[in-house]
């Protein structure tokens, strides 16, 4: 149920939603963060038309707009859905309605296409990933900061989400009871398997899986890591919520990613979806997932600053951070 609204507020929201295209757009943005081009291809309308509808939805306070380099991404986040009439209306839309069903199937196609682009990039990059990584971060500094944020001593059971070539698993498995790496790229997984075997990590394995639907039971890990992965996520909040799901109470999540930047080339050349993350946006996603941000460290560099952020799942912390 939406919050109470003033008469003016209610008129603003009802006028904004009293149009079939805008209601369809709101329904799509409640499910995914999309740019104008993606929305045009789903609703089958011109860019000026869709931009006009978006402007009305943003001005009514229903949809949020976030600048991402040369793109703007639009979204109707859960807290806005709960607060506004859009939430009530979207909940009542019949998913079997022909138009709505077509929108949702086109949305799935757009999401598949996006994932396929990143997959194709990692298929090509798998063999050289360990050298590519060094091109844009100083991995020794990042890994030292990661170790500083973690508790000293045994780490228990760990899951490295978006494990790539298994670098973080290899770094932490010596202190772990068991380590699992998850990745969507079979090519990356093949390199990770070979690396872990070569280094003799018998307690570490890798599996195919998506960060938003981990093939793992709830409450089964003491530590989850998302190391340079979140900027590929279609829905970073969902990836964080999924990491939180597999943690035990008191378990920890470490996110290592870029601070907001303007390196548009990373999108074109390295398939990044997000040009970094603001710390308060990450803290909000962590809170929604039942995690509390405990510490964070910025590693400033030009042009890419890396942030190492540690969060704990509600419950008693398993050990003191060093
Ligand atoms: C930049 S690499 C980082 C790999 C590793 N964490 C590291 O720091 O070396 C990002 C990895 O995330 C994986 N990835 C991208 N989207 C994913 C998804 N939806 N679910 C799981 N893994 C994903 C890619 O296949 C790739 O291996």
């Amino acid at each position: 149920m939406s919050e109470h609204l003033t008469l003016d507020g209610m008129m603003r929201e009802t006028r904004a939603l009293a149009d079939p295209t805008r209601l369809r757009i709101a329904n799509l943005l409640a499910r995914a963060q999309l740019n104008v081009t993606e929305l045009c291809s789903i609703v089958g309308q011109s860019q000026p038309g869709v931009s006009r509808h978006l402007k009305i939805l943003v001005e009514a306070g229903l949809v949020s707009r976030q600048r991402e380099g040369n793109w703007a991404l639009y979204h109707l986040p859960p807290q806005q859905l709960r607060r506004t009439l859009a939430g009530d209306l979207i909940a009542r839309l019949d998913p079997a309605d022909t138009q709505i069903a077509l929108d949702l199937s086109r949305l799935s196609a757009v999401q598949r296409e996006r994932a396929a682009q990143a997959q194709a990039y990692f298929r090509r990059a798998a063999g050289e990933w360990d050298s590519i990584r060094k091109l844009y971060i100083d991995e020794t500094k990042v890994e030292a900061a990661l170790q500083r944020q973690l508790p000293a001593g045994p780490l228990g059971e760990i899951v490295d989400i978006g494990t790539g070539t298994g670098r973080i698993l290899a770094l932490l498995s010596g202190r772990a009871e068991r380590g699992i790496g998850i990745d969507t790229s079979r090519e990356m997984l093949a390199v990770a398997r070979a690396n872990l075997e070569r280094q003799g990590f018998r307690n570490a394995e890798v599996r195919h899986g998506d960060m938003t639907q981990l093939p793992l039971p709830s409450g089964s890990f003491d530590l989850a890591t998302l190391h340079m992965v979140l900027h590929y996520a279609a829905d970073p909040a969902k990836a964080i919520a999924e990491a939180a799901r597999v943690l035990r109470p008191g378990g920890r999540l470490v996110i290592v990613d870029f601070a907001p930047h303007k390196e548009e080339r990373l999108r074109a050349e390295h398939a990044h979806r997000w040009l970094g993350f603001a710390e308060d946006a990450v803290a909000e996603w962590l809170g929604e997932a039942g995690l509390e941000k405990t510490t964070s460290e910025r590693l400033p560099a030009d042009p890419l600053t890396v942030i190492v952020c540690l969060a704990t799942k509600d419950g008693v912390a398993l050990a003191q951070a060093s």
Side-chain angles (χ1 to χ4, degrees):
M1 195 49 181
S2 55
E3 283 175 3
H4 283 139
L5 287 166
T6 61
L7 199 52
D8 273 356
M10 191 174 289
M11 285 299 99
R12 211 172 28 248
E13 286 192 16
T14 41
R15 278 194 205 107
L17 291 163
D19 174 278
T21 307
R22 287 201 287 276
L23 196 50
R24 287 168 60 202
I25 291 175
N27 185 41
L28 291 161
L29 294 177
R31 289 155 213 273
Q33 301 175 45
L34 297 166
N35 61 34
V36 179
T37 313
E38 291 169 331
L39 276 168
C40 292
S41 78
I42 298 172
V43 298
Q45 295 193 11
S46 69
Q47 183 135 349
V50 168
S51 296
R52 189 178 53 82
H53 286 310
L54 283 168
K55 188 163 181 277
I56 294 171
L57 289 168
V58 170
E59 283 173 0
L62 295 167
V63 159
S64 46
R65 178 181 190 277
Q66 188 187 331
R67 186 101 229 136
E68 270 290 304
N70 293 344
W71 293 356
L73 283 175
Y74 294 87
H75 192 211
L76 211 170
Q79 68 276 17
Q80 236 142 315
L81 265 182
R82 281 193 294 274
R83 266 203 316 261
T84 63
L85 286 175
D88 300 332
L89 297 185
I90 287 168
R92 297 199 58 196
L93 271 178
D94 182 356
D97 173 277
T98 325
Q99 185 62 69
I100 296 300
L102 184 61
D103 284 350
L104 296 184
S105 97
R106 285 183 179 156
L107 172 63
S108 301
V110 163
Q111 288 170 323
R112 274 198 305 276
E113 169 60 20
R114 258 194 222 155
Q117 281 170 11
Q119 286 271 8
Y121 168 74
F122 286 111
R123 198 173 305 125
R124 288 194 305 275
E128 301 141 66
W129 179 254
D130 289 332
S131 341
I132 296 176
R133 192 203 298 110
K134 293 187 192 116
L135 291 180
Y136 55 105
I137 55 168
D138 180 344
E139 57 184 354
T140 51
K141 280 195 190 149
V142 174
E143 289 170 6
L146 172 65
Q147 298 278 24
R148 275 197 295 279
Q149 301 270 336
L150 292 175
L155 296 171
E157 298 190 77
I158 67 177
V159 55
D160 182 34
I161 304 165
T163 196
T165 54
R167 169 77 201 153
I168 299 304
L169 266 190
L171 189 72
L172 302 179
S173 284
R175 292 205 279 143
E177 194 180 311
R178 181 172 80 113
I180 294 190
I182 302 289
D183 207 287
T184 40
S185 163
R186 297 198 190 272
E187 290 75 12
M188 283 289 202
L189 290 172
V191 179
R193 259 184 219 110
N195 285 345
L196 293 167
E197 277 168 24
R198 201 184 53 248
Q199 295 170 73
F201 288 112
R202 297 255 161 84
N203 60 341
E205 58 170 298
V206 294
R207 282 189 207 164
H208 185 258
D210 192 287
M211 65 176 126
T212 56
Q213 283 179 302
L214 294 173
L216 301 168
S218 301
S220 48
F221 290 89
D222 304 299
L223 173 68
T225 49
L226 275 164
H227 185 272
M228 293 295 168
V229 177
L230 215 53
H231 53 256
Y232 293 102
D235 185 344
K238 201 165 165 190
I240 289 176
E242 187 59 356
R245 178 187 69 77
V246 301
L247 285 176
R248 300 196 165 100
R252 295 181 166 86
L253 170 65
V254 181
I255 299 175
V256 179
D257 221 298
F258 297 116
H261 62 83
K262 295 193 167 68
E263 295 296 297
E264 191 69 39
R265 71 189 166 92
L266 291 180
R267 200 174 259 157
E269 293 166 20
H270 295 282
H272 289 202
R273 176 152 181 88
W274 298 92
L275 299 186
F277 298 101
E279 288 197 60
D280 50 0
V282 174
E284 194 171 323
W285 294 330
L286 290 168
E288 282 166 13
L291 299 170
E292 193 185 342
K293 179 171 153 184
T294 12
T295 49
S296 74
E297 184 171 342
R298 290 174 79 88
L299 303 168
D302 191 23
L304 294 165
T305 288
V306 171
I307 301 176
V308 180
C309 165
L310 179 77
T312 309
K313 185 162 173 171
D314 287 347
V316 181
L318 298 173
Q320 284 303 303
S322 58

